Amino acid sequence: MFNKRIKIKDLISMEPQSQEVTVMGWVRTFRNNQFIALNDGSTNQNLQVVLELGSCSEVLLKRITTSASLKVKGLLIPSLGKGQKVEVKATNIELLGDSDAEVYPLQPKKHSLEFLREIAHLRFRTNTFGSVFRIRHALAFAIHQFFNDKGFLYLHTPIVTSSDAEGAGEMFRVTTLPLEQLPRNEDGSINYKEDFFGKSTNLTVSGQLEGELGATAFGEVYTFGPTFRAENSNTTRHLAEFWMIEPEMAFCDLEDNMNLAEEFIQSIIGYVMQNNREDLEFLAQRLADEEKQLPQDKRSEMGLLEKLEFVLNNQFERITYTEAIDILLQSPAYKKKKFQYDVKWGIDMQSEHERYLVEKHFKKPVIVTNYPKEIKAFYMRQNDDGKTVAAMDILAPGIGEIVGGSQREERLEKLEQRMNEMQIPTEELSWYLDTRRYGTVPHAGFGLGFERLVLFVTGMSNIRDVIAFPRTPKNCEF
Ligand code: ATP
Ligand code: MN
């Protein structure tokens, strides 16, 4: 058996009693032909491996270079040096894979995030990305645990669909038709009957509609999967391929929905605060160092840990869309014409407006409810005022919209009428309308963009740095 090793994360908290251990990992640095800093990805802390002078051949010493991979056998002893409690006194070193330090792109120095994005296949080997991706993993685990504990069923909704859920975004088409010679109908339009599925298909923009089918049978379900939007928005908060968590609950109104969303966000943040302390502290320090270079007024008021602690311990602010617009109209920013986009009732708030509400006015996460129906999807429940729908968006400091959700229109007639107004074909979505025909119930749900959550928790500022291989306009490497 090859893999009888101890992970460095476990090793460094063990009591050193000269016991024999085996570790494997990649060399971060090697100095004085004696001290190897070894990393195996389980933690940012490197293990100090000490070679006794003269114990290794010259040939082997030359091969211990940055990023070479090693299998080390040795004794776990208290460290004499500063900076670590234990170290491994090597008794046997096996070089698993060489690495030419001259050409290895990661040098033992600070690299810019932009540079690391170009070598995204290697950036996991840096401390920053080590921390980010261990936290991303922990968040995903916490999410499944949260819903499982609450009795939600994990529903796998399809990736390839034939419906545009809500016009949520531009779609990527899925086809096997020959692009050079498309089969045509008599009127010149493309004949999708000849396509793989016999109809026009695309990658999903949301699993919600299918989620509703699950909720109206299981009571409570959630999806957690990839979604795709071909929107040409080159921002630090948009990806063409991102992961979304979408719970959907029967017997649930807008307020229940908000309560769940708030409890959910607090609970998963609580999980990483407890289980990923070391990585969060590393990223908090990283952020603090980064912000030192900014002018005073551009710096965050709170450090990363403080911010997370604050979100954990304070209720989110809840306001209606109409109140939000009033606040914006009363704001010094509006009066001094600081907003690039105009403010009036009916607008789809821009990121600058959302950020004003969250970062300047309330200084905490804000849930905005009851949006004008014109700017929201057809399935949202119509309020009695005839103007608004029972929608809710959660806005987070530094991110803007992190959650979008609503109570769904459960009244068949109202739903059909709205679909007609919005020219959404009811025949095509007949399967969806069946939920309203056969035992309809009040129900609600929301979508949380996973990468936006990871951004928030890690304090990173570009969404490309919290997903392993970002897909954005004109960029699909690796
Ligand atoms: P935005 O206004 O920020 O583009 P949206 O209104 O298009 O968001 P929804 O359709 O409500 O968003 O999607 C639900 C959630 O998915 C959002 O709250 C956000 O967290 C996330 N999200 C939406 N679009 C993207 C994207 N292109 N990349 C990453 N996350 C996204
Ligand atoms: Mn969008």
Side-chain angles (χ1 to χ4, degrees), residues 168 229 231 238:
R229 297 192 185 174
E231 50 195 3
H238 287 91

Side-chain angles (χ1 to χ4, degrees), residues 23 25 82 128 147 156 209 216 291 307 379 384 412 446 462:
V23 285
K82 277 188 290 196
T128 296
F147 286 123
H156 296 97
L209 299 190
T216 50
E291 293 209 334
K307 177 188 86 174
Y379 51 71
D384 293 340
L412 180 62
F446 62 84
N462 192 320

Side-chain angles (χ1 to χ4, degrees), residues 168-235:
E170 295 294 308
M171 292 177 296
F172 287 101
R173 183 154 277 166
V174 175
T175 182
T176 54
L177 290 177
L179 293 180
E180 320 68 49
Q181 208 179 4
L182 290 167
R184 301 277 174 187
N185 295 314
E186 275 175 13
D187 64 0
S189 60
I190 297 167
N191 180 5
Y192 285 106
K193 289 212 174 68
E194 292 200 15
D195 205 348
F196 187 89
F197 294 105
K199 52 158 74 171
S200 146
T201 50
N202 46 266
L203 294 176
T204 184
V205 292
S206 157
Q208 182 204 314
L209 299 190
E210 292 90 350
E212 288 183 53
L213 307 178
T216 50
F218 296 110
E220 272 126 9
V221 301
Y222 71 105
T223 71
F224 186 168
T227 41
F228 307 85
R229 297 192 185 174
E231 50 195 3
N232 203 353
S233 28
N234 234 323
T235 78

Side-chain angles (χ1 to χ4, degrees), residues 166-169 205-206 208 227-231 233 235-246 348-349 351 354 375-376 379-380 392-394 399-405 446-453 463 471:
E166 41 177 304
V205 292
S206 157
Q208 182 204 314
T227 41
F228 307 85
R229 297 192 185 174
E231 50 195 3
S233 28
T235 78
T236 53
R237 298 174 305 109
H238 287 91
L239 291 163
E241 175 181 303
F242 64 100
W243 288 67
M244 185 141 70
I245 298 106
E246 295 177 280
D348 200 357
M349 279 188 277
S351 149
E354 298 178 342
I375 57 170
K376 289 292 182 184
Y379 51 71
M380 298 192 179
M392 62 116 181
D393 280 5
I394 303 186
I399 310 288
E401 181 184 333
I402 190 164
V403 164
F446 62 84
L448 170 113
F450 187 47
E451 285 74 20
R452 299 224 180 139
L453 175 76
I463 200 162
R471 273 79 180 92

Side-chain angles (χ1 to χ4, degrees), residues 50-80:
V50 185
L51 309 185
E52 229 164 312
L53 284 172
S55 68
C56 284
S57 70
E58 284 298 318
V59 179
L60 180 60
L61 286 178
K62 282 220 172 63
R63 291 173 67 197
I64 303 177
T65 54
T66 297
S67 210
S69 49
L70 303 181
K71 174 177 183 176
V72 177
K73 265 196 195 150
L75 307 176
L76 189 67
I77 56 170
S79 177
L80 301 175

